[in-house]
Amino acid sequence: MASSPDVPSADSTPENPDPGASSDVPSTAVSGSGGGERRGRVRARRAAVMAVPATLVLAGLAVLTAQGALGVQFAISGMPFTVTATELNGTGFEQFGGLDNMADGSPNAGDTGGQVLVVTSAIKNATLTKLCQSVDLGGTNLLITAGSGAEKVSATDLTTDSTELTGDAAFGNIEIGNDASTLTKAGVKGPIGVFSQQADTVRIANLRQTNYATTAGVFKLPGLKLRFSESGC
């Protein structure tokens, strides 16, 4: 619209770093004392977020802190859900990396610390044809479909936080390599120093996403059907 199992909170930074240590030394090279090893681990875990080129293949890393402005501002359940559409068309497109956080004590946290590394995709105005969304509940799936008739699903100020996205994509007037804090196309700004891209228009055929969160200002779902199903999208 890359997973980092171990992104630390801000208070995991050592309180008394070695003043003689050079900031140019890569984190993988710090391995001397216990404090140095800890500092190296923290730096390595903070090497988080990715660049998403026009092909929508996740690639490249940039530094991200958990305090960044993200597309989602609520505690996620930690249960991924699948979204598919035969076609998505949008105007005002942005994309950058981020971190989503689960509620404290979530049983879905596992060894991730309750954080999921995601790609935030923001679209100012979007339409989707034959939308399908499913959540695996273990033995059954909660299935939602809409937009299969003449009227398409539509959304304004749509954001999705994804760990995987596939499809056949085309962009109009794309800019790749922006600082996420300077994005202007969809009205969403990401964390400063994070690699991002934006475009005037986006079209993705045969869209398939693995998402952890979705938000929208307005979400219209003509022909909505919600049911349990043996299979997902």
Side-chain angles (χ1 to χ4, degrees):
M1 291 252 205
S3 111
S4 175
D6 230 306
V7 181
S9 60
D11 61 8
S12 62
T13 306
E15 296 181 359
N16 298 300
D18 182 359
S22 171
S23 60
D24 296 330
V25 178
S27 60
T28 53
V30 181
S31 60
S33 65
E37 182 179 354
R38 183 183 178 193
R39 182 166 59 253
R41 289 172 59 196
V42 168
R43 290 177 181 173
R45 291 174 183 173
R46 284 183 178 173
V49 191
M50 33 46 42
V52 186
T55 57
L56 295 179
V57 177
L58 305 185
L61 294 177
V63 174
L64 174 70
T65 62
Q67 292 80 12
L70 304 179
V72 170
Q73 299 294 337
F74 54 81
I76 62 170
S77 70
M79 297 177 64
F81 56 96
T82 299
V83 174
T84 66
T86 57
E87 185 176 23
L88 176 149
N89 285 281
T91 58
F93 171 79
E94 301 173 357
Q95 203 165 53
F96 55 90
L99 286 171
D100 282 353
N101 294 275
M102 302 177 204
D104 291 342
S106 171
N108 300 318
D111 60 357
T112 68
Q115 294 181 318
V116 179
L117 181 64
V118 294
V119 182
T120 296
S121 301
I123 303 177
K124 189 64 178 176
N125 297 283
T127 60
L128 300 99
T129 304
K130 295 183 177 179
L131 175 70
C132 179
Q133 176 179 301
S134 63
V135 184
D136 186 349
L137 301 177
T140 189
N141 292 270
L142 179 61
L143 186 68
I144 298 173
T145 57
S148 297
E151 190 176 356
K152 300 178 181 179
V153 171
S154 63
T156 62
D157 298 318
L158 175 68
T159 68
T160 58
D161 283 8
S162 313
T163 55
E164 185 174 356
L165 187 155
T166 62
D168 302 310
F171 300 92
N173 296 323
I174 192 168
E175 302 170 1
I176 301 173
N178 310 63
D179 188 294
S181 68
T182 67
L183 295 175
T184 59
K185 302 292 186 181
V188 176
K189 295 186 184 297
I192 190 170
V194 170
F195 190 105
S196 67
Q197 66 176 16
Q198 64 178 357
D200 288 343
T201 62
V202 58
R203 177 185 179 275
I204 306 176
N206 304 314
L207 171 69
R208 187 175 188 87
Q209 293 176 296
T210 300
N211 292 346
Y212 277 85
T214 297
T215 65
V218 176
F219 210 175
K220 295 183 179 180
L221 299 155
L224 172 67
K225 292 182 181 180
L226 185 153
R227 58 199 182 276
F228 293 104
S229 172
E230 292 183 359
S231 57
C233 298

